[in-house]
Amino acid sequence: MAFSSESYRDTWAEINTENIKYNVREIRKLHAVDVAVMAVVKADGYGHGAAATALAAAEAGASYFGVALLEEALELREAGIELPILVLGRTRPQDAPVAARNGIRLTVFQEEWLKEASKYASGESLLIHMKVDTGMGRLGLREDSEIASFLDAAAQNPSVELEGMYTHFATADELETTYFEQQYARFSRVVDLVQHLGRSPRLIHCGNSAAAMRFPEHCFNMIRFGISMYGLTPAENITEHLPFTLKEAFTLHSRLTQVKEVPPGTSISYGATYTSVENEWIGTVPIGYADGWLRAHAENQGEVLVDGYRVPIVGRICMDQMMVRLPHEVPVDTEVTLIGSQREETISVTEVASRLGTITYEVPCIISKRVPRVYPPDNRPGA
Ligand SMILES: *Cc1c(COP(=O)(O)O)cnc(C)c1O
């Protein structure tokens, strides 16, 4: 999201860009110096803010960026980021000139696409990465014959230049590695085939966060570092098998807008599903499901931090607000930490993901644009 200096609400996500830099430096230590780090900043930097994340990652040595959509790449260009960017999804062939003009690399895996794109070619050469489907079943060329024919077509097409080739793993974050090894072996055979045909591109990559951390020897000369750049584990059960401790960057905060003492028998929020059993202190927090703070947090006994204590969410979460039960009276404007630390207590993204029965990826992604992202002063895009 675009950085906005004007915010009139006391609910915000604070992004620790130092931790992003730390995670990038740690992954770089694990790889040879000639292995490039592509910082994956799609979906607005997994909800952390794409431009700020990209700047922090570049400072720590990332030299390439990955996004899902052409508009996400253009957003980085508008923020003044000049390093190479690869669009990981499929872009329409008629939009290829926009990419070429802005030095944005496109993922291509259809011969027909090359033909179509050359109809729109504007003279500037388009750099492409050939995607190979080795078992993810999502995007990519599958058969040797298709790959050879695609490479011929690309070589004969004056409007494109093959800069890279890659594949994506479906199970690099699982303890059981058989399927991962099959995909890796298949990709290695394709790399050999491409070499044999004399068409090897400059960049060969396959490692997402899980593969880059667990199998650094299987990563060719670039890694695509996404979730763990943000300090999040790709899957909870592999956390103890990771080579370094990740540092989470995403925290979420608000401030109490009302504090009241209620007598026993007082119902709270829609449906009157919560009723106080004694004299209780109830605080109102201005965040709700329209901010991506889902009703499921309450349904799954979610807690937040107030005054250094874990306190329960009570009653249903509304669109813009929710209530919590406080341990004692605290002033209006007291900070509420929904994700992050207060004194000795921490509620991590990982805890919140397991509360919601989901993966870490979803948690910062679904915190909506209505929640401003704030950064340390020297890491603001445009600063
Ligand atoms: C999102 C994505 C990545 C990054 O994966 P993480 O698990 O977040 O590290 C890498 N490659 C592709 C093709 C992706 O779509």
Side-chain angles (χ1 to χ4, degrees):
M1 118 171 200
F3 178 78
S4 155
S5 53
E6 295 298 348
S7 173
Y8 300 101
R9 70 179 304 199
D10 272 336
T11 295
W12 70 99
E14 201 167 303
I15 310 302
N16 188 329
T17 42
E18 288 308 316
N19 286 355
I20 291 175
K21 291 182 211 168
Y22 166 86
N23 296 321
V24 171
R25 289 195 194 104
E26 288 299 307
I27 197 68
R28 286 184 67 214
K29 284 189 211 159
L30 219 59
H31 291 263
V33 285
D34 58 347
V35 173
V37 175
M38 174 195 290
V40 181
V41 295
K42 63 195 182 193
D44 201 21
Y46 293 39
H48 295 65
T53 300
L55 290 174
E59 214 182 296
S63 58
Y64 214 109
F65 298 109
V67 294
L69 311 171
L70 182 54
E71 29 279 88
E72 292 176 336
L74 292 170
E75 209 179 295
L76 293 180
R77 288 286 180 254
E78 276 155 28
I81 287 158
E82 291 174 354
L83 289 167
I85 305 169
L86 173 65
V87 178
L88 299 164
R90 182 187 192 267
T91 305
R92 295 181 301 213
Q94 60 266 40
D95 296 331
V98 179
R101 213 162 38 240
N102 290 283
I104 294 163
R105 283 72 165 157
L106 297 183
T107 294
V108 185
F109 45 88
Q110 289 147 331
E111 229 180 295
E112 196 52 37
W113 190 100
L114 295 170
K115 216 184 291 170
E116 271 300 299
S118 52
K119 287 189 200 158
Y120 303 93
S122 57
E124 278 146 313
S125 178
L126 173 73
L127 298 179
I128 61 167
H129 288 222
M130 176 178 74
K131 181 94 191 261
V132 183
D133 180 4
T134 57
M136 176 71 183
R138 193 168 62 177
L139 296 178
L141 293 149
R142 298 171 61 88
E143 305 298 330
D144 282 2
S145 56
E146 280 184 315
I147 291 165
S149 163
F150 178 91
L151 289 166
D152 280 344
Q156 283 155 26
N157 189 324
S159 57
V160 301
E161 187 187 322
L162 186 72
E163 182 191 57
M165 62 180 284
Y166 73 103
T167 194
H168 192 54
F169 294 119
T171 64
D173 61 348
E174 287 177 16
L175 290 175
E176 165 56 48
T177 59
T178 311
Y179 196 78
F180 168 81
E181 280 154 20
Q182 283 167 3
Q183 277 199 269
Y184 177 74
R186 169 68 188 137
F187 188 57
S188 296
R189 284 197 302 275
V190 175
V191 170
D192 290 345
L193 167 73
V194 173
Q195 214 148 37
H196 177 75
L197 295 170
R199 306 243 192 251
S200 277
R202 182 172 73 83
L203 294 168
I204 300 175
H205 47 110
C206 57
N208 55 5
S209 294
M213 287 188 292
R214 299 174 71 203
F215 314 106
E217 68 287 1
H218 289 39
C219 288
F220 298 90
N221 64 0
M222 183 154 75
I223 58 167
R224 302 191 304 273
F225 198 45
I227 194 70
S228 297
M229 172 170 64
Y230 306 97
L232 302 173
T233 179
E236 212 172 349
N237 62 339
I238 61 159
T239 306
E240 60 188 292
H241 301 273
L242 300 181
F244 56 94
T245 304
L246 296 164
K247 293 188 180 174
E248 291 191 7
F250 190 90
T251 65
L252 183 62
H253 312 267
S254 190
R255 289 186 189 280
L256 295 172
T257 48
Q258 187 181 3
V259 175
K260 57 182 173 273
E261 189 176 28
V262 299
T266 307
S267 292
I268 303 292
S269 196
Y270 288 120
T273 56
Y274 177 81
T275 303
S276 59
V277 293
E278 50 188 337
N279 278 336
E280 294 180 10
W281 285 98
I282 300 294
T284 303
V285 189
I287 187 169
Y289 59 78
D291 298 303
W293 192 253
L294 306 178
R295 284 162 44 109
H297 285 289
E299 286 151 17
N300 297 307
Q301 282 74 50
E303 295 174 323
V304 301
L305 304 178
V306 178
D307 200 21
Y309 295 93
R310 281 177 177 261
V311 308
I313 299 168
V314 292
R316 288 187 186 150
I317 292 173
C318 313
M319 186 181 285
D320 316 299
Q321 304 177 79
M322 69 172 184
M323 275 62 81
V324 297
R325 182 184 170 178
L326 302 168
H328 46 247
E329 184 179 14
V330 297
V332 165
D333 283 337
T334 294
E335 184 165 333
V336 178
T337 297
L338 297 92
I339 301 174
S341 300
Q342 281 190 4
R343 287 191 243 144
E344 308 301 305
E345 286 287 351
T346 298
I347 296 178
S348 63
V349 172
T350 309
E351 173 183 334
V352 169
S354 77
R355 176 197 297 162
L356 294 178
T358 185
I359 55 173
T360 56
Y361 296 71
E362 273 194 346
V363 174
C365 271
I366 59 173
I367 299 302
S368 74
K369 302 257 177 203
R370 204 168 77 160
V371 177
R373 271 60 170 176
V374 305
Y375 307 96
D378 59 335
N379 276 296
R380 274 177 204 157

